[in-house]
Each structure stands twice: as structure tokens, then as C-alpha cells.
Amino acid sequence: MRLSLLSLLFPLALLTLTPSVLAAEEAPSGSEGDGKSENAAPAAPEIGYYTLEPDFVTNLASSNPNERLHYVRIKISLMLFDENDKPVVVGLTPVIRDAVLSVIASKDFTKIASADGREKLRQECRERIASIMQDKVGSDIVRDVLFLSYMFQ
């Protein structure tokens, strides 16, 4: 009888101790309650997008004064390295718009009417915006310039 009572108590003791031991092993090592670990690396920045509104509409330069006027309409979105930089871009929107309009308006219709010309224009806008960010912020926070729509006449 003594052996059977012990054989019943031993598994019972294990069952009651096991959950508390496991809970102690799974507890986070950081400060209590915040769920953060002291050794956790900071979260990587998340890519963000900011669309410049309204669309860019301007006439194009012409080398021939007798040629009819040509226009372009472009919807542009900026790809940001970090979503948290949107307020910076919003604050610099007038400067960015002015720079992009200057780049676009300086182009001849024949230069931007091809896919290659479109890509060169996009790259030039990207470089101009990078220069602005370097001057105003101290670093380039814009990863890329995206043309969401591109129409010319």
C-alpha cells in the first residue's frame, strides 16, 4: 500500500510543478510587462510611399519656335527608405515640386517621347530630389522616384 501511494503522489507532484517550471523558462528576459527583450535589435525601417499631389502638368521646351506646343502630365510617387520620413517630405513638397517642374519643363518633346527618354527623365528627377534632400535634411531619404502615370501630347 505504501508503494502504491508513493507511485500516485510522485506523478501528481510532477504535474503541479511542471507548468510553473515551464512558465519560468518562457518568461521574457527584458523588463517585466513591456514584452521587449534587452537584446532585441531595433526594427528595420519600413519602406513608405508619398504621392505628390496634384499631378505635374507643364508644357515642354521646344527647339523650333514654329512647332506646336507639347504638354506632359505625370503622376509621381516617392519611395522612401523609411515610412517615418513622410513628414519631412511633406514639409519639403513645394521645393520638390519646383525642382521636378524645372526638370520636366526643360526637356524637349522628342527627348521624352520614348521609353528611354522617360527613364532618363525619371532618373534626372531622382537625382535632383536626392540633391535637395542632401541640402535640406543632410541625407537622402528618397529611395526612388516612381512615375505612376505618364502622358504627353
Side-chain angles (χ1 to χ4, degrees):
M1 175 89 178
R2 193 169 221 229
L3 186 59
S4 64
L5 184 60
L6 238 131
S7 62
L8 287 175
L9 288 178
F10 183 71
L12 186 60
L14 278 178
L15 287 175
T16 57
L17 290 176
T18 304
S20 62
V21 170
L22 289 176
E25 290 179 40
E26 293 175 352
S29 61
S31 58
E32 288 184 33
D34 68 358
K36 295 180 183 175
S37 173
E38 291 177 12
N39 299 331
E46 187 173 324
I47 291 175
Y49 297 90
Y50 179 75
T51 301
L52 297 168
E53 296 287 343
D55 295 356
F56 291 85
V57 180
T58 189
N59 58 321
L60 298 166
S62 177
S63 55
N64 182 357
N66 296 328
E67 188 178 8
R68 70 182 182 128
L69 286 176
H70 293 282
Y71 295 90
V72 67
R73 179 178 184 163
I74 306 172
K75 183 175 198 78
I76 296 178
S77 186
L78 305 178
M79 180 190 289
L80 309 176
F81 285 106
D82 188 352
E83 170 105 14
N84 296 323
D85 289 331
K86 275 186 186 178
V88 174
V89 173
V90 169
L92 293 173
T93 297
V95 178
I96 294 169
R97 288 189 63 82
D98 177 64
V100 170
L101 275 173
S102 297
V103 170
I104 295 170
S106 70
K107 300 302 175 195
D108 187 79
F109 175 74
T110 58
K111 302 277 187 200
I112 67 154
S114 67
D116 186 46
R118 176 187 178 276
E119 181 59 23
K120 286 180 181 174
L121 177 62
R122 190 184 69 79
Q123 287 296 329
E124 190 172 338
C125 288
R126 165 73 184 94
E127 290 167 8
R128 182 69 71 88
I129 293 170
S131 174
I132 290 168
M133 293 300 159
Q134 208 51 52
D135 290 345
K136 303 289 184 184
V137 182
S139 67
D140 186 12
I141 60 175
V142 176
R143 182 177 187 153
D144 205 357
V145 172
L146 308 172
F147 285 179
L148 303 181
S149 69
Y150 186 83
M151 297 180 284
F152 54 87
Q153 176 183 356

